[in-house]
Structure formats: C-alpha cells, structure tokens
Amino acid sequence: MPVSPDPEDNPSSRSCCGALSISELSRPVEVADSSSDNVFWTWPFLGPLLVENESSDTRDHCANERTFLSYLRLSVYMAIVAIAIVLSFHLKSQPSHLELRMAQPLGIIFWLLSLSCLVLGLGNYIKTLDKYSRKVAIVQTGWRTQSIMSLIALAIVGTCVILLVITKVEGEADG
C-alpha cells in the first residue's frame, strides 16, 4: 500500500487559504527564514516566533513583550476610569449637577486616550519586533510615544485638579 506524503512536509501547502487546523495555525515561525517585510504579519498568525538567540536577543524580546503588557495594563486602567467617570460612581454622596454634566465628555476623553495608548503600545511592539528580527533595533522612544504619554499624564493630572476644585467649591457652597 503506497504511503501518501504528509501535507505538512510540503511547503506549498502552507498558506492561509488551505484547510485550517489547530496544528497549522500554531506552527512556529522561524524569524531568520522570514522573507516578508514585517515578521509580525507572517503566516500563521497564531504561531510563536522563533528567534535564534545571539547575545541578548531573548532578553530584548522579553523586555519588548513586558513593555507592551505595561501599555495594555495602562489602557485597561484608563478604560475602567472612563467607565467609572461616565457612571458617576460615588461612594458617599450623590453627584452634583456639574459632575454629571462633566462626566460624559471626561469619560469619552479617557476612553479615547485608553484606545490611543493601546494602539501606541501595539504599534511600538510590532515595530520593535520587526527591527529585532532584522537586527537593527535601537531602544528609544519617538515623538509619538512621548506626545501621547504626555497627553495621558496631562489628562490624569488635569482631571484630579478639576475633581479637587469641584469638591472645594461644593464644600464652600455647603458651609
């Protein structure tokens, strides 16, 4: 009885349009063998990227992943704050009319900053991963990262000041 060849041994059968299986979707991708412009978009998308460890490559890739996870964590925290602001979450008292009027625009601002933080983190991760695969990465931030993170810090500090001023004005009006 003739043995049929294994379809996974044939490189031409590996494409995004063939029959999909879990093993095909999670097949490792050799970064050195990648001929595409950006290694992040190499098929299969769910496959782990295998990078030959020369000097400190593994440490650098882990640091890049940790940085992305920090961006993701900040984004989630800001989304939670946005939801809390929109819902006017107060523990001791009812929100004032001014707080209710400011809640929706302030919540939308925090939600948009949360999305921009997530997109910025993912963009930095993909760009750095691509540069690591071509051995040309330099660890530095660009003007986009600095400006968006400055805007996020300004929004957080500004919101704290606004909420403190509202509390002070309401305290003086009551007293």
Side-chain angles (χ1 to χ4, degrees):
M1 177 179 218
V3 176
S4 62
D6 187 7
E8 289 187 2
D9 292 338
N10 184 2
S12 64
S13 69
R14 294 180 180 166
S15 71
C16 64
C17 303
L20 296 178
S21 68
I22 296 296
S23 63
E24 181 62 24
L25 286 175
S26 61
R27 177 179 51 86
V29 176
E30 290 281 342
V31 172
D33 298 339
S34 177
S35 62
S36 67
D37 292 335
N38 192 332
V39 72
F40 188 79
W41 303 112
T42 304
W43 179 259
F45 296 122
L46 300 178
L49 299 174
L50 297 179
V51 180
E52 186 175 339
N53 189 19
E54 297 172 1
S55 65
S56 64
D57 291 345
T58 304
R59 181 197 66 204
D60 295 342
H61 282 280
C62 289
N64 190 29
E65 289 175 358
R66 283 191 307 271
T67 303
F68 170 69
L69 292 174
S70 295
Y71 277 106
L72 180 64
R73 182 179 58 223
L74 176 62
S75 178
V76 168
Y77 286 160
M78 291 189 65
I80 290 170
V81 168
I83 291 169
I85 289 173
V86 168
L87 294 178
S88 298
F89 184 67
H90 291 270
L91 292 175
K92 293 184 179 181
S93 65
Q94 292 295 324
S96 68
H97 177 68
L98 180 60
E99 287 175 330
L100 288 174
R101 200 174 73 201
M102 289 179 52
Q104 189 171 10
L106 201 54
I108 291 172
I109 288 170
F110 268 82
W111 187 75
L112 290 174
L113 287 174
S114 170
L115 286 179
S116 66
C117 183
L118 182 63
V119 168
L120 177 72
L122 184 63
N124 281 347
Y125 175 75
I126 292 171
K127 181 178 73 173
T128 306
L129 185 67
D130 180 49
K131 287 186 175 183
Y132 281 158
S133 69
R134 292 184 283 130
K135 308 280 190 232
V136 294
I138 298 175
V139 179
Q140 64 183 11
T141 59
W143 65 269
R144 265 187 323 210
T145 304
Q146 294 296 327
S147 60
I148 289 178
M149 295 310 284
S150 298
L151 184 64
I152 288 171
L154 181 68
I156 291 171
V157 171
T159 302
C160 290
V161 169
I162 288 171
L163 293 176
L164 289 172
V165 168
I166 288 173
T167 305
K168 177 80 171 166
V169 169
E170 285 178 353
E172 290 176 356
D174 291 340

